Amino acid sequence: MQLRTRAMLAGVAVAALGLAGCSNDAAPSAPAAGGGGAGAPPAAAANCPLASAPDPGNSAPPTGVPMASGAPKLEAKPTYKVAFSQNASNNPWRLAETASMQDEATKLGYQLTVTDANNDQSKQIQDIKGLIAQKPDAMFVAPITEQLGNVVAEAAGAGIPVFLLDRNVDPAAAKPGEDFVTVIVSDFVQQGKRAAWAMAQATGGNATIIELEGTTGSSPAIDRKKGFDETITQCPGLQVVVSQSADFTRADGQEVTETLLQSHPDATAVYAHNDEMALGAIAAIRAAGKVPGQDIKVVSIDGSRDALTAVDAGDLYTSVESNPRFGPKAFETMKQYAEGQVPVKLVLEDRLFNKANAAQNIESAY
Ligand code: GYE
């Protein structure tokens, strides 16, 4: 799989998390020969082109992205007082993101205040209002749902440039480039498409699927569902029989899957919008006396250490990457804004982990 060409056309916004051990080279696109513990790869359904297609990879970089022109300005200074409103600390992904922000701030000698909304939307709104009152030079927000636009606009109204990390807000409430400078995200629709591709690989294009959705109203839950659901329509043998939120957590993933396996004992696959829910689902599959990876194939998104370990063990078929290490990119973008111009959206590239490359990436995972 070749690296995507970084064509820097005028107005093209493309970004990669340039981190040691986190290069953007995609995993081999075909599943590993011999598949690892789960038996021979299933025969591809004749009417499922996805089952024999290559990994769709990353989407083309967005074109024509305007520069942020109407957001509060940031003065170029040797040091900054910055704030980060994190939406939760209930999974390794969130902890890795917060640690990455803290590490980078320390490295740069910036003063960083972090708040944790405990996965509660009203708490995050209060957190952001509290941070506005502290008058930071700039604010980073990882919005719990797309409904955080008003409070983001409030920060801009108070003269604070806001940078959205890892999730988006509804542009009707907060205008990109005005009410916030930019949003740094993965292409979640594309992640869903790649998960659908992986599901076709895992099942040969025949599966009765339980879908575990992320936090209701969050941009990754909305877009990962869209990308997956739309893509599997290419294969009539791939059917989602039930789709329910498990709030991006392992505990809910387990509980919801336990219940759904009772109402849908014919399920042969689980698509989870993140690794934590997939790991909960794997526990539930075992508790139901079934073998994950054999009786029920599981596909998810993130690339956490536990997930890569599960992929290597054959319990999880694929985890599409969604890299949480935002620190370097976040602060680099902030400095770029102080010195010049920044596009209103920056899209990250993601790898894909399967049996062929999981083991070698466990060590560097979070
Ligand atoms: O996949 C999940 C986390 O917003 C991209 O949120 C992020 C998602 C990530 O809680 O594990």
Side-chain angles (χ1 to χ4, degrees):
M1 184 90 185
Q2 85 275 32
L3 292 174
R4 179 175 297 288
T5 314
R6 303 268 167 74
M8 290 307 292
L9 305 166
V12 168
V14 65
L17 291 172
L19 300 160
C22 289
S23 64
N24 293 292
D25 48 323
S29 53
N47 56 358
C48 180
L50 263 189
S52 51
D55 171 11
N58 287 288
S59 52
T63 54
V65 179
M67 293 293 165
S69 55
K73 300 293 174 227
L74 180 61
E75 190 194 329
K77 299 197 290 187
T79 189
Y80 294 96
K81 182 177 136 186
V82 288
F84 175 36
S85 166
Q86 177 57 288
N87 60 51
S89 299
N90 57 357
N91 73 41
W93 197 101
R94 291 279 143 212
L95 296 175
E97 184 184 45
T98 302
S100 173
M101 291 295 287
Q102 281 164 333
D103 290 352
E104 193 64 14
T106 305
K107 213 164 107 187
L108 294 165
Y110 296 175
Q111 187 193 324
L112 176 68
T113 305
V114 181
T115 54
D116 170 12
N118 288 323
N119 207 23
D120 176 339
Q121 177 156 301
S122 48
K123 173 150 183 351
Q124 187 165 29
I125 292 168
Q126 289 316 311
D127 285 351
I128 294 171
K129 286 178 187 279
L131 292 172
I132 293 170
Q134 293 175 21
K135 301 188 190 315
D137 295 315
M139 193 188 295
F140 297 99
V141 175
I144 183 163
T145 70
E146 294 196 347
Q147 302 312 308
L148 272 240
N150 289 335
V151 72
V152 163
E154 203 175 307
I160 303 166
V162 177
F163 299 78
L164 301 182
L165 300 184
D166 90 70
R167 294 184 187 175
N168 215 332
V169 295
D170 182 354
K175 249 188 130 227
E178 293 182 17
D179 295 318
F180 60 89
V181 177
T182 189
V183 56
I184 309 176
V185 275
S186 286
D187 182 341
F188 301 128
V189 172
Q190 189 68 16
Q191 291 175 342
K193 285 184 186 168
R194 296 176 85 182
W197 168 81
M199 183 60 82
Q201 301 291 309
T203 63
N206 284 309
T208 301
I209 305 164
I210 290 173
E211 179 168 353
L212 298 177
E213 299 173 22
T215 301
T216 306
S218 69
S219 49
I222 296 165
D223 289 348
R224 288 171 182 172
K225 177 167 183 60
K226 185 177 190 295
F228 184 89
D229 290 4
E230 282 177 9
T231 305
I232 60 166
T233 60
Q234 292 176 34
C235 301
L238 294 177
Q239 291 292 336
V240 174
V241 282
V242 58
S243 183
Q244 198 173 307
S245 176
D247 207 14
F248 278 134
T249 72
R250 195 183 293 210
D252 285 15
Q254 179 163 355
E255 200 180 307
V256 170
T257 308
E258 258 162 30
T259 308
L260 295 181
L261 283 177
Q262 281 165 23
S263 47
H264 300 276
D266 57 334
T268 57
V270 172
Y271 164 46
H273 291 185
N274 81 344
D275 285 344
E276 283 296 291
M277 296 190 294
L279 293 159
I282 287 169
I285 292 165
R286 281 216 177 83
K290 298 193 172 174
V291 182
Q294 287 184 26
D295 301 327
I296 301 187
K297 311 278 187 183
V298 186
V299 167
S300 66
I301 297 169
D302 271 354
S304 73
R305 182 172 295 197
D306 285 356
L308 297 191
T309 306
V311 171
D312 191 45
D315 296 341
L316 180 62
Y317 187 79
T318 285
S319 181
V320 178
E321 183 181 42
S322 203
N323 193 328
R325 291 171 174 140
F326 276 80
K329 188 79 218 163
F331 285 101
E332 179 197 309
T333 305
M334 189 192 105
K335 280 194 288 178
Q336 194 186 327
Y337 184 63
E339 285 154 18
Q341 293 201 307
V342 164
V344 300
K345 184 172 192 180
L346 293 162
V347 180
L348 309 172
E349 292 193 334
D350 298 309
R351 294 173 292 174
L352 183 140
F353 301 109
N354 58 20
K355 186 76 186 165
N357 67 347
Q360 78 220 42
N361 285 290
I362 291 174
E363 183 70 29
S364 59
Y366 50 94

